[in-house]
Amino acid sequence: MASTSLLKASPVLDKSEWVKGQSVLFRQPSSAAVVLRNRATSLTVRAASSYADELVKTAKTIASPGRGILAMDESNATCGKRLDSIGLENTEANRQAYRTLLVSAPGLGQYISGAILFEETLYQSTTEGKKMVDVLVEQNIVPGIKVDKGLVPLVGSNNESWCQGLDGLSSRTAAYYQQGARFAKWRTVVSIPNGPSALAVKEAAWGLARYAAISQDSGLVPIVEPEILLDGEHDIDRTYEVAEKVWAEVFFYLAQNNVMFEGILLKPSMVTPGAESKDRATPEQVASYTLKLLRNRIPPAVPGIMFLSGGQSELEATLNLNAMNQAPNPWHVSFSYARALQNTCLKTWGGRAENVNAAQTTLLIRAKANSLAQLGKYTGEGESEEAKEGMFVKGYTY
């Protein structure tokens, strides 16, 4: 957790000059170091490491037209809950079978540009004995890795949490790169019903920034995920207000940590009412609020905005994404969905070998629907009843 003394001791730019400082870095992204000067001090700042060109290329590959991210990085415990829902025991063999089904779906790379993996999966082989990473690469899908260590209580806050995992992260990200990963993911959350407190927002932003800098130094494109939880009865204006503060804090600390914006991807929540709110928002309203927030807070240098679904139904997540792509955007506005891609697929499979092909077909239907939504061409025709089922879970853990 970032302490006040740590933040004060860090050699950073004045808050009023962070945009200027960031632009200086971008003019020489491949250089070893850039010297920045301001009224108070003279400091040497590292650029985004020797991986700068590769980071930009990887980010652009993931943010390619008509494609998005399959998030399949559920922890073993969370994966166990998914398996339990279809009557399967949480064993490595069952997790392997399900993950094999996902990565080997024929033609998945037409709609999916990246797949976020749990550490077990990064080192795992399919049921046929082929490395999961190799199967993804053959499908033209970039392998990624979840690197955070989960949420724990934030002492001194309003019953809020912070994300752990910075200890040892540099050595872990270096090892993940050697194993074939080319991007990383770190999820932290902010709760509206619990505040959010200034402490929780600063901790979330600082943790994301340190993770992003470390990941880039190891050659991994960091997915920056400041999730505004759906929990609560608040309206869409309250969500916007909180998200505006959180995103501003995140990008301020990213700049202070000299993170190269061209080599990151943002994975935010869409701006929606709380899941327990009496007021519901149309896809057009969600798009209007969310795009306004993006324009006000996100630099155009960021190549991709890969939205999380956050408990929306499969259909709702796709409709909202489609509404955001009805006009050109400065960024690639796409998806990084877990449940909103997998829910119907998992139910179709049911743990039975004879259902694998049908389950993969279901996955491809959802992936294609979101591919069309990324292009602004989704119509919603022919959707199943399962796709309309909400998936919000209060206090959801990943």
Side-chain angles (χ1 to χ4, degrees):
M1 180 170 62
S3 66
T4 303
S5 61
L6 174 61
L7 294 175
K8 286 184 177 178
S10 301
V12 297
L13 297 175
D14 291 339
K15 197 163 189 173
S16 62
E17 297 186 2
W18 73 271
V19 175
K20 180 181 177 182
Q22 192 67 40
S23 65
V24 171
L25 282 177
F26 287 160
R27 283 198 290 270
Q28 297 176 319
S30 298
S31 61
V34 178
V35 177
L36 301 178
R37 298 180 185 276
N38 60 26
R39 291 185 299 273
T41 186
S42 175
L43 59 152
T44 300
V45 177
R46 288 189 63 189
S49 85
S50 57
Y51 292 103
D53 292 340
E54 182 180 344
L55 292 169
V56 172
K57 183 178 179 181
T58 298
K60 287 182 177 179
T61 297
I62 296 172
S64 55
R67 299 207 296 167
I69 295 174
L70 169 62
M72 47 179 291
D73 58 317
E74 299 90 347
S75 66
N76 287 347
T78 301
C79 192
K81 294 177 183 177
R82 305 274 173 86
L83 294 175
D84 182 67
S85 72
I86 58 171
L88 282 187
E89 186 180 354
N90 184 18
T91 64
E92 182 178 355
N94 285 334
R95 294 193 298 271
Q96 178 193 40
Y98 179 56
R99 291 162 177 165
T100 297
L101 181 159
L102 296 175
V103 303
S104 62
L108 185 64
Q110 184 177 347
Y111 315 116
I112 300 297
S113 54
I116 312 171
L117 310 178
F118 189 61
E119 186 176 62
E120 179 181 74
T121 319
L122 183 69
Y123 292 90
Q124 201 170 39
S125 296
T126 66
T127 52
E128 287 76 34
K130 198 165 188 176
K131 291 182 179 179
M132 297 270 188
V133 169
D134 292 342
V135 174
L136 289 170
V137 171
E138 288 176 3
Q139 294 240 50
N140 195 28
I141 298 173
V142 182
I145 178 69
K146 168 186 166 74
V147 300
D148 68 76
K149 293 295 184 179
L151 302 169
V152 292
L154 178 60
V155 176
S157 71
N158 186 26
N159 196 29
E160 296 164 285
S161 61
W162 67 286
C163 187
Q164 58 187 348
L166 290 177
D167 290 348
L169 181 59
S170 181
S171 59
R172 286 192 290 120
T173 50
Y176 296 151
Y177 183 92
Q178 292 299 318
Q179 186 63 20
R182 289 298 177 267
F183 71 100
K185 175 212 159 180
W186 176 287
R187 173 187 180 254
T188 194
V189 303
V190 172
S191 170
I192 293 179
N194 289 356
S197 67
L199 174 63
V201 172
K202 177 176 284 189
E203 176 57 44
W206 180 258
L208 283 168
R210 290 305 306 141
Y211 138 77
I214 293 167
S215 295
Q216 286 190 340
D217 195 56
S218 296
L220 302 180
V221 169
I223 288 183
V224 176
E225 184 177 356
E227 180 174 358
I228 311 297
L229 293 173
L230 278 176
D231 304 55
E233 301 176 357
H234 52 276
D235 61 19
I236 194 170
D237 290 295
R238 177 59 177 156
T239 304
Y240 183 95
E241 178 186 17
V242 171
E244 191 173 41
K245 293 178 181 178
V246 172
W247 291 13
E249 198 90 348
V250 167
F251 275 88
F252 171 64
Y253 284 119
L254 286 172
Q256 283 200 324
N257 282 273
N258 308 301
V259 172
M260 186 176 69
F261 289 174
E262 296 98 330
I264 71 170
L265 296 167
L266 180 67
K267 182 174 178 176
S269 313
M270 298 178 190
V271 181
T272 67
E276 297 153 295
S277 172
K278 296 178 181 178
D279 301 321
R280 307 314 303 158
T282 66
E284 291 71 27
Q285 289 174 315
V286 171
S288 176
Y289 274 82
T290 306
L291 291 175
K292 178 183 177 182
L293 184 57
L294 287 173
R295 288 191 293 267
N296 289 347
R297 286 291 179 264
I298 309 306
V302 176
I305 314 297
M306 321 300 287
F307 282 102
L308 59 89
S309 56
Q312 300 177 72
S313 72
E314 292 177 334
L315 179 60
E316 187 179 12
T318 307
L319 287 170
N320 288 338
L321 178 63
N322 185 70
M324 281 187 273
N325 282 297
Q326 293 307 299
N329 292 303
W331 326 266
H332 174 81
V333 176
S334 191
F335 60 93
S336 178
Y337 294 164
R339 288 172 288 171
L341 283 173
Q342 298 181 43
N343 189 52
T344 304
C345 170
L346 179 66
K347 292 179 179 179
T348 302
W349 176 51
R352 302 175 68 87
E354 61 268 28
N355 293 340
V356 167
N357 290 341
Q360 289 179 329
T361 298
T362 302
L363 173 64
L364 292 173
I365 288 173
R366 286 260 52 85
K368 182 178 181 180
N370 286 289
S371 170
L372 291 171
Q374 196 288 311
L375 299 170
K377 299 178 180 179
Y378 174 72
T379 63
E381 295 178 359
E383 287 286 7
S384 66
E385 288 302 313
E386 289 86 352
K388 301 175 185 178
E389 294 179 1
M391 292 178 283
F392 168 71
V393 177
K394 192 170 185 177
Y396 180 72
T397 57
Y398 209 71

